[in-house]
Amino acid sequence: MVFTRRTFGALAGTAVLGVALAADSTAAPPTESASRNVPTGRPPAPPRADRRPHSVRHDGYSLIVDGQRLVLWSGEFHPFRLPSPSLWRDALQKIRASGHNAVTVPVAWNHHSPAPGRYDFTGVRDLGLLLRTAAEEHLYVVLRPGPFLGADLDGGGLPGWLAGTGGGAGADDPAYLEHVDAWLTAVDRIARRHQYTEGRGTVLLYQFTDVSGATSTAYREHLYAKVRGDGIQVPVFHKELDPAAGPAERGPADVPPDRGLFFGAATSERARPRTAGVLAEFTAGRPVPWGGGRDGQRAFEAVRREFDAVQVRRTCLTDIANGLTVHNTRTAFGGTNWGWLGGPSTVTSYDLAAGHDEARAPTPQLAAFQQIGHMLRTVPDLAKLHRAADVRADDDRVRVYHLTNRDTGSHTYVLRNDSQDQVTTSLRLAGSALPVTVTLPPREARLIMSGLRLGERRLRHSTAQPMLFLPIGSMDVAVFTGTRGELVELVLETPGSPVTTRLDPEPAWALDRNLLRVTAPLGEGGLSRVLVEGGGSDRPLLLILADEDDAARMWPVETRKGDFLVYGPSLVRTVTPHGSGVDLTGDVRTTTGLEVWAPGRIGSLTWNGERVRTTVSRGNALVATRHLKAPPAVVLPTLTGWRRREENPEADPRFDDGRWRVADRTATSGATPVPEGQPVLFADDYGFHYGDLWYRGRFADARGAASVRLSYRAGPQGLVMAWLDGEPLGVHRRPEDAAAGQGTGADGTDGGGTDADGADDGSDASVQAAPAGGGEATAEFAVPEELRTPGAHVLAVLVRPMAREEGSGSAGAHKAARGLTAVTFEGARPGVEWRLQGAAGADPVRGPLNTGGLYGEREGWHLPGPVDEKGWDAVELPVGRKDEEKRQGVVWYRSSFTLDVPESVDASVGLALEDDPGRAYRVQIFLNGWNLGLYVNDVGPQHVFVLPNGVLRTRGENTLALAVLSDGTTPSGPGTVSLRLLGAAAGGTPMTDVASPGR
């Protein structure tokens, strides 16, 4: 492969990173000559909050922690998308076990701040608890407090109240900067207590807001000066989007499109030192939009097919070839857009094709992350790579990227099959007299090495990818991986005559002229193990060859008493040696064996607290004499005992709205102009930022009013519905939102409505589509002739605003109006006095994003505990038959159920909703008062909603409430509602129920 000047720049880091920054404000940036003084060697030990000072630097190759090179392999985790702090430890343990040595933690401003000057870091928002847990799990932390995050969040993570505050929309506006500074002060007060430089935690890097060339340098320098002034000592960087960068599927000459730049205030552009290559965000998936987008109702499956293990290897290994040594995978665990958290581009589920899915179960993608992560952590040669001479494969469909480590003399080759065919090709590696043959499946990539030191021996070459190398007690263990069924080859240099023992029937070996050649078909009978003793070394070397499935059950763990390697379980969480024994904890999903390679004095073990009888294998492993058992069956109850109550009394002209906010403002704090002759109707100006909004307009005379026009802003899948004097006028949504659905009426018709000329077609209500675009839309509803009368009238309007736009703070999208923007009548000009009502206030436990302004929410019908039985009728589900009365508005359904999951079982439970997709309704799902999702029956594609443990009482009683909003054109739901087991493991982490106060 021919390397261009740009390629070399990417490999060296100069095209990828900007200004270098030392770990503290007094030390000078590392120089290129200083980097040569940091040789290749084992990385630093896993981080701890050890109360000792640590140095954090970087040069043109990698981060340097305490004088040792570190390749950072971070997995992004959004704690705000998992409102159960007990499960944070579960997620962090899985992130670490799957090969990551760091976790990137965004901190969402809107999750922590219900109002200006108020910042909540308690309960499910306890940032300090998360950082302490990450340190206890020996993970470095890359802290990312914004202020703007993007991350598919409402407003990009900016709080809704920003739209109702003074000042302009730009990032250089003093009023905006004042709020930004207050937010960063609150976060940094916590962050500085957890910095690795002081040994008080494991925060290693700090990333402020995503910026681009359009954002002023002054803004970036302001943020940098702010965090430094707050006492943040660790290196600071930001992600910069480069529109000129290459596509997501990168070649060796492409600079990654989402690049990280370390930031310093006093270094000129011409004097930039060489800095480590940072990939601030490797996107391992994409969010699923309403309706599924181009993938339709199979969108979740389509995303996982697109971002499979092959794609992970292909992209990540190319990034390694590009010289990147600071990686962030977004995301390692996806999570849930509960409440009104999510952005306009995503449904409730934020699965995002992560290595662990929303139900916390491993996915097929995980194996690739695990192999690469353990390789980067245990093969130190990859921390200091240089461009090497071009190497070509015999078959041009395979690209070869060649790098070398000058300290050790090893060579690294990244091979990429860019075709749709399986390709077997040959290439010549450094130190090999003959070409080696490699087989790559379609679009597959692989990293192979030659000249790699394996303890006291040297690997001449291997056609399998190295996964890990560990010195365990008095022996060394090396694991290599490849594709199931493939015949792979390893060649070791052996100056003497080693004793070679085949521990499994599949591998074969041959010794010729001081070269030990080992071959094995992968996956034919499980692991292929070969023990090499002698041959110029006093330390035995155990070679393990594994296919992808077997490699996914290998768990290397570093402890203060030495390294361990565990094979068999679905997950290993902790390894705690003591004396001559070791205690292991982890998960078992299916019946499995257990093998443990341990330091020499370890002779006994326990698994999840139970003693395990073992024997010692020929490969010096402790092998359990009995299999670990799969979890017992988990039985879920049928949901019965439903009770039903209609709401929206606000549509009744007799409703008392005396305590509602009067819409009497004439000027807005937002960025949307106020229409001439209209009062300010924008919800944010009156303190209502999330969830449903009610408007009631009183006027004295409806004579001549042929129709009413409602202009509004509500985002994708937002809608407006109206009543005049209690009579439904109809529902309105954008055409692209309607087109995303499965159909219209239950009988296949359009469900009735208003004709193009505005004439009433005889139906009770109408459903219309707004003009295309994400901005303002206008609904026009015909006024029934019998209501065009003198006297008092009441126009009631329910607006469901969905996610606000995600433009960055500098773009000002967070200042755009939400809710009604203008109301006019065709044929009349009555004076209307408006009042509005939204959420009653931020839930003190669940936060500002949990609830909106439905009547049932204001009355607490979503909360656990007893409700007044008056008005609630018994009902059986499913409902919504063709003969059911059509109704515009909201109906509530409540039920309770009790679970009794064994304490030793970690079960993940979901709520499944199924119905005829022609029925136009949507459901807000409340579990124990927590708003855990929005189901849109006629749009989809999501039908199963994860109920996170902790919010879900797995050993206790639960209250389920469904708020069903129907547009009146079809019979409403809900249809079939059931609990579904999404996965179970024997193991898990200790659980504490999340506070869920009731009525």
Side-chain angles (χ1 to χ4, degrees):
M1 185 67 199
V2 177
F3 283 82
T4 65
R5 180 179 298 274
R6 187 182 181 202
T7 304
F8 181 73
L11 292 169
T14 55
V16 180
L17 288 182
V19 181
L21 189 67
D24 58 72
S25 57
T26 59
T31 64
E32 184 174 350
S33 60
S35 71
R36 298 194 183 102
N37 298 324
V38 183
T40 299
R42 289 204 71 179
R48 303 172 186 269
D50 54 11
R51 297 289 176 174
R52 298 177 180 177
H54 297 274
S55 66
V56 183
R57 299 168 65 83
H58 49 83
D59 65 5
Y61 303 101
S62 69
L63 293 173
I64 302 170
V65 177
D66 295 333
Q68 295 173 277
R69 294 200 174 278
L70 174 71
V71 177
L72 202 72
W73 182 250
S74 180
E76 190 162 311
F77 168 55
H78 300 173
F80 47 82
R81 284 191 163 105
L82 185 59
S84 179
S86 295
L87 293 181
W88 295 349
R89 186 177 298 276
D90 173 76
L92 292 176
Q93 286 181 343
K94 289 171 177 173
I95 288 171
R96 178 195 23 85
S98 58
H100 295 286
N101 57 9
V103 58
T104 295
V105 178
V107 189
W109 188 357
N110 58 0
H111 180 51
H112 292 271
S113 183
R118 289 176 55 191
Y119 304 101
D120 186 351
F121 291 94
T122 64
V124 300
R125 293 166 294 279
D126 193 339
L127 177 61
L129 172 62
L130 178 70
L131 297 180
R132 290 193 300 274
T133 306
E136 291 166 1
E137 298 303 331
H138 312 307
L139 285 165
Y140 294 109
V141 174
V142 180
L143 193 65
R144 186 181 162 213
F148 174 78
L149 290 178
D152 305 307
L153 291 168
D154 180 272
L158 299 177
W161 54 257
L162 269 178
T165 59
D172 56 350
D173 180 77
Y176 174 75
L177 290 177
E178 183 177 351
H179 291 302
V180 166
D181 287 352
W183 163 243
L184 292 178
T185 296
V187 176
D188 293 347
R189 185 179 296 118
I190 298 171
R192 70 179 178 231
R193 298 197 299 265
H194 296 270
Q195 297 185 93
Y196 193 57
T197 49
E198 298 179 354
R200 301 175 66 187
T202 57
V203 175
L204 188 77
L205 300 176
Y206 183 107
Q207 178 186 353
F208 60 66
T209 195
D210 298 346
V211 295
S212 64
T215 304
S216 69
T217 301
Y219 178 51
R220 297 195 295 269
E221 291 181 348
H222 175 90
L223 295 177
Y224 171 74
K226 168 60 182 170
V227 300
R228 281 290 185 246
D230 284 346
I232 300 302
Q233 300 176 355
V234 298
V236 176
F237 73 100
H238 65 275
K239 184 178 78 173
E240 180 158 321
L241 306 181
D242 182 3
E249 198 161 285
R250 299 182 280 278
D254 294 325
V255 177
D258 293 343
R259 61 186 186 178
L261 293 105
F262 283 95
F263 194 80
T267 307
S268 70
E269 190 76 16
R270 293 182 180 179
R272 286 180 174 178
R274 289 172 43 146
T275 55
V278 174
L279 182 61
E281 182 179 305
F282 161 58
T283 303
R286 57 180 168 83
V288 170
W290 295 105
R294 66 177 185 267
D295 302 310
Q297 298 307 297
R298 308 292 294 180
F300 289 104
E301 297 91 332
V303 170
R304 287 218 169 268
R305 285 196 305 271
E306 179 181 350
F307 295 93
D308 59 3
V310 171
Q311 176 69 8
V312 169
R313 279 190 293 272
R314 180 182 181 82
T315 307
C316 291
L317 294 180
T318 303
D319 290 337
I320 293 171
N322 271 327
L324 302 181
T325 55
V326 179
H327 308 255
N328 175 41
T329 299
R330 178 165 181 251
T331 56
F333 167 79
T336 302
N337 290 316
W338 60 277
W340 301 101
L341 179 70
S345 61
T346 177
V347 296
T348 295
S349 174
Y350 201 68
D351 183 275
L352 212 69
H356 285 91
D357 65 21
E358 192 184 3
R360 299 179 294 113
T363 68
Q365 189 189 57
L366 180 64
F369 285 124
Q370 190 169 334
Q371 293 166 23
I372 296 172
H374 291 315
M375 175 181 67
L376 293 174
R377 188 169 60 85
T378 63
V379 180
D381 301 55
L382 300 175
K384 194 177 181 182
L385 295 174
H386 293 261
R387 167 195 168 181
D390 296 338
V391 173
R392 293 184 180 274
D394 289 348
D395 192 315
D396 289 339
R397 291 175 295 179
V398 173
R399 299 184 182 183
V400 182
Y401 314 149
H402 180 201
L403 304 103
T404 187
N405 185 301
R406 296 173 183 171
D407 293 346
T408 65
S410 66
H411 293 258
T412 297
Y413 306 85
V414 174
L415 283 61
R416 244 179 53 177
N417 176 8
D418 289 339
S419 76
Q420 300 293 337
D421 305 315
Q422 178 167 299
V423 176
T424 299
T425 188
S426 298
L427 68 157
R428 192 176 295 275
L429 306 182
S432 295
L434 298 174
V436 299
T437 301
V438 180
T439 298
L440 291 176
R443 301 191 64 77
E444 184 62 90
R446 181 174 303 169
L447 183 150
I448 62 176
M449 299 185 74
S450 65
L452 176 66
R453 298 293 305 186
L454 299 179
E456 297 177 355
R457 296 176 174 83
R458 183 180 291 274
L459 177 74
R460 174 65 65 91
H461 72 257
S462 168
T463 62
Q465 180 169 299
M467 176 176 171
L468 59 89
F469 173 77
L470 291 177
I472 301 179
S474 60
M475 68 182 295
D476 296 325
V477 179
V479 179
F480 293 81
T481 66
T483 305
R484 183 178 180 84
E486 177 189 5
L487 183 66
V488 296
E489 176 186 78
L490 279 74
V491 178
L492 282 178
E493 297 177 0
T494 57
S497 298
V499 177
T500 306
T501 306
R502 185 176 61 175
L503 305 180
D504 297 292
E506 286 76 19
W509 61 270
L511 182 64
D512 182 29
R513 287 175 290 187
N514 294 328
L515 294 179
L516 176 66
R517 190 179 306 273
V518 178
T519 59
L522 297 183
E524 295 299 323
L527 299 180
S528 291
R529 286 160 286 206
V530 175
L531 182 63
V532 183
E533 300 172 282
S537 173
D538 294 331
R539 292 177 61 85
L541 172 64
L542 178 64
L543 297 173
I544 302 178
L545 305 176
D547 70 353
E548 198 166 74
D549 292 338
D550 285 322
R553 297 192 293 136
M554 305 205 75
W555 310 101
V557 180
E558 296 169 271
T559 77
R560 289 181 174 179
K561 291 194 174 183
D563 295 336
F564 288 74
L565 179 61
V566 183
Y567 170 65
S570 303
L571 175 70
V572 172
R573 295 179 180 273
T574 63
V575 175
T576 308
H578 53 84
S580 62
V582 61
D583 299 329
L584 296 89
T585 67
D587 293 357
V588 176
R589 292 182 176 269
T590 59
T591 301
T592 182
L594 174 66
E595 295 184 49
V596 180
W597 287 270
R601 293 186 178 182
I602 302 298
S604 63
L605 63 88
T606 65
W607 175 261
N608 288 344
E610 295 186 5
R611 182 70 178 269
V612 177
R613 294 184 179 275
T614 62
T615 185
V616 179
S617 72
R618 291 186 299 166
N620 295 323
L622 294 175
V623 181
T625 58
R626 292 186 179 181
H627 282 80
L628 303 181
K629 295 181 179 179
V634 176
V635 179
L636 301 177
T638 301
L639 297 176
T640 59
W642 290 96
R643 301 187 71 80
R644 175 183 188 271
R645 182 171 179 178
E646 296 181 359
E647 69 144 78
N648 42 280
E650 300 93 337
D652 191 322
R654 296 165 296 180
F655 179 79
D656 182 5
D657 57 17
R659 295 185 178 181
W660 287 20
R661 291 291 305 272
V662 178
D664 55 2
R665 297 194 174 192
T666 58
T668 178
S669 298
T672 303
V674 180
E676 184 177 354
Q678 295 281 324
V680 174
L681 297 175
F682 312 157
D684 290 309
D685 284 286
Y686 298 96
F688 305 123
H689 310 300
Y690 304 105
D692 295 284
L693 300 162
W694 273 99
Y695 294 82
R696 283 171 57 86
R698 299 180 183 274
F699 58 98
D701 193 344
R703 286 177 296 182
S707 65
V708 57
R709 292 192 181 96
L710 307 175
S711 297
Y712 68 99
R713 295 179 67 100
Q717 290 303 324
L719 58 78
V720 63
M721 55 178 57
W723 294 258
L724 182 59
D725 298 338
E727 294 298 318
L729 298 182
V731 180
H732 187 272
R733 55 180 172 166
R734 305 183 309 162
E736 58 266 42
D737 296 339
Q742 298 301 298
T744 47
D747 57 359
T749 68
D750 65 4
T754 303
D755 295 332
D757 61 0
D760 187 4
D761 67 356
S763 65
D764 294 332
S766 66
V767 58
Q768 303 176 27
E776 186 174 280
T778 299
E780 182 169 4
F781 299 114
V783 174
E785 189 170 347
E786 63 271 21
L787 297 181
R788 305 174 190 174
T789 62
H793 296 274
V794 176
L795 176 62
V797 180
L798 174 62
V799 181
R800 169 153 292 179
M802 299 290 280
R804 67 185 75 221
E805 298 173 47
E806 297 179 18
S808 69
S810 62
H814 63 285
K815 303 283 281 186
R818 285 162 64 82
L820 289 181
T821 56
V823 180
T824 58
F825 289 84
E826 178 69 23
R829 299 186 64 183
V832 184
E833 297 179 354
W834 285 101
R835 293 176 181 265
L836 71 159
Q837 177 67 52
D843 188 304
V845 172
R846 301 173 181 94
L849 297 164
N850 190 69
T851 48
L854 292 180
Y855 181 84
E857 292 178 285
R858 304 198 306 271
E859 292 294 310
W861 294 354
H862 64 300
L863 298 175
V867 295
D868 186 354
E869 291 295 319
K870 183 178 180 181
W872 291 86
D873 301 318
V875 66
E876 293 184 2
L877 298 186
V879 298
R881 305 307 180 195
K882 287 190 176 183
D883 57 354
E884 184 184 358
E885 178 183 358
K886 301 174 184 178
R887 183 180 187 277
Q888 175 180 300
V890 180
V891 179
W892 285 77
Y893 297 82
R894 281 174 58 99
S895 180
S896 62
F897 61 92
T898 300
L899 297 181
D900 188 19
V901 178
E903 192 170 357
S904 61
V905 175
D906 180 12
S908 185
V909 178
L911 188 75
L913 295 92
E914 299 287 347
D915 204 351
D916 177 354
R919 298 192 175 102
Y921 69 88
R922 52 187 67 187
V923 182
Q924 282 177 263
I925 301 166
F926 292 93
L927 178 70
N928 297 326
W930 289 84
N931 183 356
L932 294 184
L934 177 62
Y935 169 73
V936 184
N937 183 67
D938 59 332
V939 173
Q942 187 172 357
H943 291 269
V944 179
F945 297 80
V946 174
L947 309 177
N949 294 356
V951 174
L952 176 71
R953 295 351 187 192
T954 57
R955 286 176 290 279
E957 185 175 2
N958 298 272
T959 300
L960 182 63
L962 307 178
V964 181
L965 184 151
S966 306
D967 68 13
T969 64
T970 68
S972 69
T976 300
V977 181
S978 61
L979 299 175
R980 182 174 297 180
L981 184 65
L982 304 179
T989 55
M991 283 300 307
T992 300
D993 286 339
V994 177
S996 298
R999 305 179 71 251

